[in-house]
């Protein structure tokens, strides 16, 4: 009976498969692009009988300062995923409008679009990186939202901000350019946030899940100018941010915590360089996608090597890419965690 009530697009929906959706057992977790750093936070929760601020002013102000924007350009969301969903719900008409994505890329753009019966114009990362702006815009066609994951997950590739600006200029009045900067702390000079001073049709997605080491908090931000954000503010749930989340986010964004985050990013970037050296010297690895972010994506000579790693308790993220199933994404962990990767790589084949 319940199946007969489902809309066709939901009945046929292929759900997003996150790194945590499989029940795996292991001791070294390098599969979800999480930070290896944990931190203690203080909570005093004597007021949970009251609703929270819809947009907690102290968190918004702190993030605006961090992002070098004005407070009215910042909307706090439940992870960057809610920002993706909100933009589609606000700007796309179900069964009529479309979005453009550049694959391979983050899978939630497709899931959110499919959920809301929004068509997807699936273009390639190669087109985004190598074609000129006029060719890209012609391929985008009538898409209302253009999603650029930058750095891109899972390839780590970067689209120059000059190209993002040129795309936004060319698409002015036709489409919004959405820049997903989940990994931007690992290459902050590449952020598109400064473009907001010149463009009304750019939005930037941010998260505290990666460099800020708060994947369990589910906190993100949507950055854009007032005119773009105003209708989104009408669509967002009335109380999207819990009191506890707001208190932790405020602490995570104070000056000392931001300094600590940047120090940790420097360590992780050094660890990434060490890992890439290890991988480049391994006969098990046939190709490394050199990119930004807190992960390295590589191709193995034999997919069975992944099983060996899992048996020793080292959990990484296998997936198919470019039509082949022998790809692996390794999150950058601590030196001790990456030592387990080295032991795996040096095991006899």
């Amino acid at each position: 009976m319940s199946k007969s009530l489902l809309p066709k697009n939901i009945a046929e929906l292929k759900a997003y498969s996150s790194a945590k959706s499989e029940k795996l057992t292991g001791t070294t977790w390098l599969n979800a692009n999480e930070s290896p750093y944990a931190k203690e936070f203080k909570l005093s929760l004597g007021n949970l009988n009251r609703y929270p601020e819809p947009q907690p002013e102290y968190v918004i102000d702190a993030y605006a300062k961090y992002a070098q924007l004005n407070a009215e350009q910042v909307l706090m969301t439940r992870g960057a995923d809610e920002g993706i969903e909100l933009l589609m719900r606000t700007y796309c008409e179900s069964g009529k409008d479309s979005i453009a994505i550049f694959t391979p890329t983050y899978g939630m753009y497709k899931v959110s679009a499919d959920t809301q019966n929004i068509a997807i114009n699936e273009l390639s990362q190669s087109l985004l990186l190598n074609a000129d702006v006029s060719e890209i815009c012609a391929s985008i066609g009538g898409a209302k939202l253009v999603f650029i994951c930058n750095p891109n997950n899972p390839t780590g590739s970067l689209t120059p901000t000059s190209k993002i600006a040129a795309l936004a200029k060319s698409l002015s009045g036709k489409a919004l350019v959405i820049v997903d900067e989940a990994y931007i702390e690992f290459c902050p000079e590449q952020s598109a946030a400064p473009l907001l001073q010149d463009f009304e049709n750019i939005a930037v997605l941010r998260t505290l899940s990666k460099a800020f080491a708060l994947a369990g908090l589910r906190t993100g931000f949507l950055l854009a100018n007032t005119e773009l954000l105003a209708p989104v503010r009408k669509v967002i749930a009335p109380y999207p941010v819990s009191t506890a989340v707001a208190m932790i986010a405020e602490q995570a964004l104070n000056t000392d915590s931001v300094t600590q985050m940047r120090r940790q990013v420097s360590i992780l970037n050094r660890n990434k360089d060490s890992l890439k050296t290890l991988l480049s010297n391994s006969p098990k690895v046939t190709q490394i996608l050199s990119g930004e972010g807190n992960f390295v994506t590589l191709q193995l000579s034999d997919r069975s090597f992944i099983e060996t790693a899992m048996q020793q308790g080292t959990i990484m993220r296998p997936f198919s890419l470019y039509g082949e199933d022998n790809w692996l994404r390794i999150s950058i962990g601590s030196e001790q965690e990456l030592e387990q990767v080295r032991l795996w790589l040096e095991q006899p084949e």
Side-chain angles (χ1 to χ4, degrees), residues 265-299:
V265 163
S266 296
I267 295 167
L268 291 172
N269 277 339
R270 284 200 301 273
N271 288 356
K272 180 171 68 175
D273 290 339
S274 300
L275 175 61
K276 283 158 81 171
T277 301
L278 266 178
L279 295 169
S280 63
N281 292 326
S282 172
K284 292 181 178 178
V285 178
T286 57
Q287 188 179 171
I288 304 167
L289 299 184
S290 180
E292 305 296 338
N294 66 335
F295 57 88
V296 175
T297 297
L298 57 116
Q299 189 174 31

Side-chain angles (χ1 to χ4, degrees), residues 170-191:
S170 185
L171 293 168
S172 180
K174 303 172 193 170
L176 303 182
V177 177
I178 316 300
V179 188
D180 186 343
E181 294 189 341
Y183 302 94
I184 201 63
E185 278 78 16
F186 297 93
C187 50
E189 68 286 350
Q190 303 291 335
S191 176

Side-chain angles (χ1 to χ4, degrees), residues 118-134:
I118 296 164
I120 301 166
N121 184 1
E122 195 170 311
L123 306 171
S124 70
Q125 277 287 315
S126 177
L127 176 81
L128 175 63
L129 298 171
N130 302 318
D132 61 34
V133 168
S134 59

Side-chain angles (χ1 to χ4, degrees), residues 97-98 121 137 139-145 174:
D97 289 326
S98 65
N121 184 1
C137 288
S139 301
I140 285 167
K144 275 258 192 93
L145 305 179
K174 303 172 193 170

Side-chain angles (χ1 to χ4, degrees), residues 22 283-286 298-311 316-321 323-329 344 349:
E22 292 180 66
K284 292 181 178 178
V285 178
T286 57
L298 57 116
Q299 189 174 31
L300 294 164
S301 58
D302 190 330
R303 196 182 187 283
S304 66
F305 295 145
I306 298 169
E307 293 301 319
T308 312
M310 291 177 73
Q311 285 164 14
M316 299 170 285
R317 186 83 189 268
F319 57 94
S320 295
L321 196 59
E324 297 177 287
D325 68 353
N326 56 344
W327 287 86
L328 187 67
R329 192 190 67 196
W344 163 64
E349 295 179 22

Side-chain angles (χ1 to χ4, degrees), residues 13-14 84 88 99 101 103 105-116 118 120 122 147:
L13 180 69
K14 190 176 187 302
I84 294 167
M88 291 189 199
I99 65 164
I101 61 174
T103 60
T105 194
Y106 181 43
M108 275 307 294
Y109 312 137
K110 177 172 170 49
V111 172
S112 287
D114 286 343
T115 301
Q116 298 174 64
I118 296 164
I120 301 166
E122 195 170 311
F147 284 88

